[in-house]
Structure formats: structure tokens, C-alpha cells
Amino acid sequence: MSCRGAFARACRAGPFALGMLWRIVTNAQHVPAPLAVVAVTYSPGPHLGALLDSLEAATRQPTLMVCADNGSTDGVPQRAAAEREGVEFMATGGNIGYGAAINAAAAQLRARRGRGEIDQEFFLIVNPDVTFTPGSLDELLRCARSAPRAGAAGPRIEEADGSAYPSARELPSLITGTGHALLSGVWPSNPFTAKYKAGADMDTQRTAGWLSGACLLVRWEAFDAVGGFDERYFMYLEDVDLGDRLGRAGWDNLYCPSSVILHDQGHAANKASRVTVPAHHDSAYRYQRDRHPRWWQAPLRLALWGGLKVRGAVSLGRRQAHARER
């Protein structure tokens, strides 16, 4: 037997050492490529560190976290990239919106996917205020891989009290969506909002009309087939629109309750209501307008636009008045 090259020293040490080295090399060749994880950051504070800490125990697969940053001023995403292995900072050039930031990150990652440097089947979208439970990402991957037509898969999202957030819903109809948009701020228990937020069975794996973008495992093939997120949505309803377009293209939105995450709902949005409230209403109008584009539906679009503008002004005024009282 010839002892040359990298195996020479192990070969001289004997068959046992040579066998150990062979097993190490063989195992190294089977290490899976990192799963790309995209988080849109905007001064995330301590939430980002908690997310990254929880990610380590969520999966046995290596990960590559990309912080698609929309203009953070707290320096947290930059420090995370400098101090942590497997974390990268990507400036988007400004506060370009949630879907646009994810699309920008996906565009940057696409070349790496082509070279086999990241997982070629899936990538993960996650809010920085999410924390994973141990093994939850592995379970989400298992669930998605068991369903070849799953264009997207979402976990069970739990609130602080352990209840399940209705993160897997049916697509909103015009009546339900409009009623929710107009009344939820002034009459939270209205029947339209109740129907809009109805999560059906949150304990059973099933398909849904759309899944929450707070944590979404996306199949690359499906994401590319529908052109990613619609960048006209600055924030809100971009996940509803994506779920609808995936369904229209023949893909499933798969809810996987065996995977559990925790989410600190709306911590960033609640601090910037002057931006988020109008954005919510603009997105609600855009979603319904795109699905009712015919000329004879113009009066409906006008009424919807006017109602949402009034509702937005009232909602913003209430929030600002409440903030002054505190």
C-alpha cells in the first residue's frame, strides 16, 4: 500500500489512524450546505441577539444569516455581523420596505445557490423579534420536505401566554377584508375581524390561503416562479399577496404546527405608527384593487379608497392622542 500525500502520516501511524482520517474526510463531504436565513432589520435592539442565540439550537444544519438592513441606527446588525460567525450585514440602501428588502437579499443569495454554497431547495424568512424553540427549524424543514408542492411552510407562532397566533389563514374576501380594515381599530370584536383572524385548527397540519411572514420557509423554485414579493407593498399584506400568488401558481402554503416559535408581535411597528398605520391601509387597498381591476368596479375601488383613508386618519389620530396622554 502506497503512503503518499495527505494520508501519508496517518498511513504510517497504522490502519486505525488511516480509518479515522477517512471517516473524518467522508463525513466532511456530507455536511449540508448552510440554510440561508433572511431577516429584515431596522434598529432591532436586543431582539436580534435573542434570535441568533435561539437559531443555534433550532437546527443541526448550518445557517447563513443575512441581515437585510433598511437603515438601522442602533448598530446592532453591524455588530452581529462583525462578532458572530455565519452572520452577514447587507445594507439595502434605505428604508425600502419589507418585501423589497427580502427580494434584494434573495437576489444576492441566488448566485451562491447556483454555486451550491447554500441550501438549494429552501431559504428562511424571519422577523428579528422571533425566537425559535429547540429543534423547531429542523421540524419545519422536515414538514416542508414531506410535501413537494409546498411553496412555503410556516410554523405555529405562540404568544407570550402560550396561545397560538392565527398565522395560517384563508385569503380575505372583499367584504371580510374591507370590514376588518375599516372596523378593527374602532370595534376590535367586530365579526369581520373575527372572520379575518380565524385560524381554523391551529393544532393540525394543513394547507392555508396564506402564512404569516414573521417566519416563513420558502422553496426557491416557488419563490422564483412567482417573482418573489410584490415590492409595491411597503409593509403589511405582502405575505397575504405572496400566499395568494403561490396558490394561483399551483403551490401550497403549508402550516406545520409541530414546529413552534415565539414572536414579540409588532414591537417595531408600535413605535412608528405615523408610518405603519398609513402603510397598512395603503396595502389593504392595493390588495383588493389588484383583485378588482375591471372598469365597472371603479366605484367599488373609490369607495374602498375613501373609507380606508378616513379610517386611517381616525386610527392615527387616536394613537397620537393616546401617546400624548401617557
Side-chain angles (χ1 to χ4, degrees):
M1 183 176 180
S2 174
C3 295
R4 295 181 180 179
F7 287 92
R9 184 175 300 173
C11 187
R12 288 193 295 271
F16 179 77
L18 185 60
M20 288 291 292
L21 179 59
W22 178 254
R23 282 193 289 273
I24 291 172
V25 171
T26 301
N27 289 338
Q29 292 174 342
H30 289 86
V31 173
L35 176 72
V37 181
V38 178
V40 178
T41 52
Y42 187 77
S43 297
H47 289 89
L48 181 61
L51 166 64
L52 293 171
D53 290 342
S54 70
L55 187 59
E56 295 179 7
T59 179
R60 291 173 293 180
Q61 183 172 345
T63 59
L64 172 65
M65 167 68 77
V66 177
C67 296
D69 192 74
N70 273 352
S72 293
T73 58
D74 62 0
V76 169
Q78 295 91 330
R79 284 196 299 273
E83 297 172 0
R84 292 180 183 251
E85 186 177 356
V87 180
E88 296 183 359
F89 176 83
M90 189 200 84
T92 63
N95 194 3
I96 64 174
Y98 185 77
I102 294 170
N103 285 351
Q108 187 183 85
L109 289 165
R110 204 164 274 116
R112 296 191 192 185
R113 178 181 178 242
R115 295 191 297 266
E117 297 173 1
I118 58 173
D119 190 292
Q120 296 189 355
E121 190 174 15
F122 294 103
F123 73 100
L124 182 73
I125 298 164
V126 64
N127 281 8
D129 53 5
V130 158
T131 53
F132 292 95
T133 60
S136 55
L137 183 48
D138 278 341
E139 181 58 25
L140 187 60
L141 284 162
R142 182 208 62 75
C143 181
R145 286 171 177 151
S146 71
R149 294 307 300 171
R156 175 185 172 98
I157 300 177
E158 290 193 349
E159 308 274 17
D161 61 1
S163 61
Y165 177 76
S167 59
R169 308 182 196 175
E170 295 307 310
L171 293 167
S173 67
L174 176 63
I175 294 175
T176 299
T178 302
H180 165 68
L182 293 175
L183 299 176
S184 61
V186 294
W187 180 20
S189 61
N190 75 83
F192 303 105
T193 295
K195 185 174 182 180
Y196 178 78
K197 292 187 174 182
D201 183 359
M202 300 307 294
D203 298 318
T204 303
Q205 181 175 312
R206 57 184 173 83
T207 58
W210 65 279
L211 302 165
S212 170
C215 182
L216 195 63
L217 185 68
V218 181
R219 193 181 298 272
W220 273 107
E221 181 185 355
F223 188 79
D224 288 346
V226 300
F229 282 98
D230 186 336
E231 297 184 9
R232 296 174 303 157
Y233 292 85
F234 178 74
M235 62 189 302
Y236 298 115
L237 273 82
E238 66 283 308
D239 46 7
V240 183
D241 174 78
L242 179 68
D244 182 28
R245 288 186 291 114
L246 285 172
R248 291 170 186 262
W251 296 95
D252 290 333
N253 296 283
L254 183 63
Y255 172 61
C256 303
S258 55
S259 172
V260 180
I261 68 163
L262 310 176
H263 187 204
D264 181 8
Q265 299 278 354
H267 77 97
N270 290 337
K271 297 177 182 178
S273 59
R274 185 169 295 181
V275 174
T276 61
V277 170
H280 193 181
H281 291 86
D282 288 346
S283 292
Y285 174 70
R286 178 169 291 109
Y287 180 84
Q288 294 295 349
R289 181 194 66 189
D290 287 354
R291 286 149 183 85
H292 299 85
R294 295 177 177 83
W295 67 267
W296 50 268
Q297 294 172 319
L300 175 65
R301 294 193 298 270
L302 181 61
L304 179 61
W305 180 84
L308 286 170
K309 286 296 182 182
V310 171
R311 193 265 189 185
V314 171
S315 178
L316 185 59
R318 287 175 178 270
R319 293 193 182 202
Q320 292 175 339
H322 180 68
R324 287 193 296 268
E325 292 173 358
R326 294 178 64 182

